Amino acid sequence: EVADPREPSGPSLRATTRSGSSAPPTATAVQSAGEAITRLLRHAAPGVRRAAVAALASLWGAKANPWMAGMLEDSDDGLRIAALAALRRGGGIDREAVRRIGLLLSGAVPAGEELRTSAAAALGDALGTARAAAAETLSAALKPASTSFFSKLVTVETTESALYVLTLARVLLAIGGPDAASIIQLKASRSRTEIRRQLEELLSSRR
């Protein structure tokens, strides 16, 4: 029988005692199993990598955060969404995670709309000094691409979804300080009707 490649190989995490009951895994066993799983994060098949992300986050918890942050530059959006969720659960939205999220929001690293929306939401869980960096990242994502005199005379149509833009705005209002409202108002003035209305309603609800 061929083993399922999605199941990481390695020592079992639970040992069986002489009485037949299952004993808790030792720290050494957990470490050894985790190390085996980290090797699967580089597997060629996206499904295997996704399974490895879920298994490592479950096994190591916050200890897996550095690996989860690294997976934000993977090519598979579903995997990256899972890595973001693991980072949020593990308190891992630090400055390095914020930097990597910024690459997704700016387009420097290709990402679909669902992933970018998840990434924007994750910035709301930024910790300590990373919170200011998260606010800067959100502000940059919301600001119009051009601030030339001519561009201010026209409304720029974009392909951004309303959910993505509203997520950016909500998180920025939550963490971004006194300049957040003005940045969102500028975004509203340059957005299509649907998004402009929702941004204005969001600002009105905060007054």
Side-chain angles (χ1 to χ4, degrees), residues 85-148:
L87 284 168
R88 297 180 75 176
R89 289 193 303 270
I93 308 298
D94 56 14
R95 291 186 67 88
E96 176 58 18
V98 169
R99 184 189 70 80
R100 292 176 184 268
I101 288 172
L103 297 176
L104 300 177
L105 301 187
S106 70
V109 172
E113 199 76 354
E114 183 181 0
L115 171 57
R116 293 203 300 158
T117 301
S118 296
L123 291 176
D125 292 328
L127 302 171
T129 58
R131 210 162 174 83
E136 291 177 6
T137 299
L138 290 161
S139 297
L142 277 168
K143 287 177 180 176
S146 174
T147 56
S148 68

Side-chain angles (χ1 to χ4, degrees), residues 6-27:
R6 294 172 297 178
E7 294 296 330
S9 60
S12 171
L13 289 184
R14 300 191 74 84
T16 302
T17 64
R18 290 182 180 178
S19 63
S21 62
S22 184
T26 65

Side-chain angles (χ1 to χ4, degrees), residues 182-198:
S182 61
I183 292 170
I184 294 168
Q185 187 61 61
L186 176 60
K187 179 67 174 180
S189 70
R190 299 286 308 285
S191 297
R192 61 184 185 269
T193 303
E194 174 196 6
I195 294 178
R196 180 169 63 249
R197 176 181 57 78
Q198 293 186 58

Side-chain angles (χ1 to χ4, degrees), residues 7-14 23-41 50-65 67-68 86 89-90:
E7 294 296 330
S9 60
S12 171
L13 289 184
R14 300 191 74 84
T26 65
T28 300
V30 170
Q31 178 67 23
S32 177
E35 289 172 356
I37 294 170
T38 61
R39 291 192 287 274
L40 293 177
L41 294 175
R50 284 195 295 268
V53 162
L56 189 64
S58 176
L59 181 65
W60 276 0
K63 181 180 175 180
N65 286 345
W67 281 268
M68 298 299 107
R89 289 193 303 270

